[in-house]
Amino acid sequence: MKRLIFIVVFVLVLQSLPAEEYKDFGKDRLNSSPRHGEWVDIKSGDRTIKAFVVYPERKDKAPAVLVIQEIFGLTDWLRSMCDELAENGVIAIAPDFLNGQKFEDADGASKATSAVTQDQVKAVLDATADYALKIPACNGTLAVCGFCRGGGWAFMYANVNSKLKATYSFYGAPPESPEQVVNIRCPVYGFYGENDERVNAGIPKAEELMKAAGKKYEPVIYKGAGHGFMRSGEQANPNMREGDKKARDDAWARWKKLLKQL
């Protein structure tokens, strides 16, 4: 009887917790990291944007990489990705597009992220980019990466910020029209899962647009991987998928080489 009562109470406690708190992962990496990570306030007009920054351990100045969240928001996993980027020698800075909002489940976070407008995306990224370039430890080199919805935003931002030296778009929607690529000045590197035709169906059009505009676009499709493989292929993920793990490893091997070129 006591066991039954314990189980019922445990289930009720879980149901009362925000999904982000008991389903997300990444805190273990953050808590054990030797690198310095911190929350900062960034002014954008009358608005204050929260952002998470992780610094690499190196003796010289480093490039800065803007890290754009998935559709689920600025989760612990995304912050752990910032730490992993910093481990590879760059300053990683992730702005919070949802302004510290918490949600009961992934659906709530997804709806809130979907409501963010393109103008808001640009304003947040512009403010974060300006902040990053003024960090004393930054060497003046700026790049951007994004995952899922953020992967599409990263591709979009390449077209509006001429200061970017590289864009890394992870399984985000590619551009669909010439005006979305005409101003891109940096190379765009795409990372896609084989089992993600919803996104991949747009790659040929994007290749055509980028080629016609004389821009560099290098998409790679990772065999056996699904959408979100950088998250679902992580060892620390309790729901890790083996096919995604290999794709994540292969994507990181490629990404590390690209980061060294900044």
Side-chain angles (χ1 to χ4, degrees), residues 221-239:
I221 298 176
Y222 294 89
K223 187 175 180 180
H227 186 76
F229 62 83
M230 293 298 283
R231 168 188 275 272
S232 56
E234 179 144 359
Q235 189 72 42
N237 189 339
N239 300 311

Side-chain angles (χ1 to χ4, degrees), residues 24-209:
D24 199 24
F25 60 94
K27 284 186 178 179
D28 287 346
R29 179 185 180 93
L30 293 168
N31 290 337
S32 62
S33 173
R35 288 163 292 280
H36 179 79
E38 63 181 1
W39 289 97
V40 298
D41 290 337
I42 299 173
K43 289 293 184 180
S44 177
D46 295 331
R47 181 184 180 190
T48 298
I49 301 164
K50 291 288 186 181
F52 186 70
V53 187
V54 185
Y55 292 86
E57 291 194 319
R58 54 187 291 176
K59 62 183 180 181
D60 54 346
K61 295 181 184 294
V65 177
L66 309 180
V67 184
I68 308 179
Q69 66 190 41
E70 306 166 289
I71 199 168
F72 306 119
L74 209 173
T75 59
D76 291 334
W77 172 77
L78 192 82
R79 294 196 299 130
S80 74
M81 281 296 300
C82 289
D83 183 74
E84 198 163 2
L85 274 164
E87 185 179 36
N88 285 281
V90 302
I91 300 168
I93 179 166
D96 184 359
F97 290 86
L98 302 182
N99 206 26
Q101 295 178 72
K102 299 295 182 183
F103 303 91
E104 292 299 321
D105 51 34
D107 185 58
S110 298
K111 287 179 179 177
T113 301
S114 297
V116 177
T117 67
Q118 293 297 305
D119 286 344
Q120 289 171 328
V121 171
K122 182 180 182 302
V124 169
L125 290 176
D126 280 348
T128 308
D130 289 344
Y131 179 94
L133 289 172
K134 293 175 183 174
I135 292 175
C138 178
N139 66 8
T141 298
L142 183 71
V144 64
C145 70
F147 306 87
C148 180
R149 178 62 59 88
W153 288 355
F155 213 140
M156 177 276 294
Y157 194 57
N159 195 46
V160 297
N161 189 334
S162 60
K163 296 178 181 178
L164 294 173
K165 301 301 182 184
T167 295
Y168 315 103
S169 178
F170 287 80
Y171 34 84
E176 300 176 341
S177 60
E179 62 270 18
Q180 292 177 316
V181 305
V182 66
N183 295 317
I184 293 177
R185 293 189 179 182
C186 67
V188 178
Y189 303 98
F191 300 74
Y192 305 95
E194 180 183 36
N195 302 322
D196 192 14
E197 186 61 13
R198 177 183 66 85
V199 172
N200 297 351
I203 294 175
K205 178 66 173 179
E207 288 182 299
E208 177 185 318
L209 291 171

Side-chain angles (χ1 to χ4, degrees), residues 237-257:
N237 189 339
N239 300 311
M240 183 195 72
R241 300 189 300 195
E242 284 298 332
D244 289 354
K245 181 181 183 302
K246 183 180 186 310
R248 187 184 196 278
D249 291 344
D250 291 345
W252 254 119
R254 177 191 178 204
W255 200 9
K256 287 177 181 180
K257 292 179 181 179

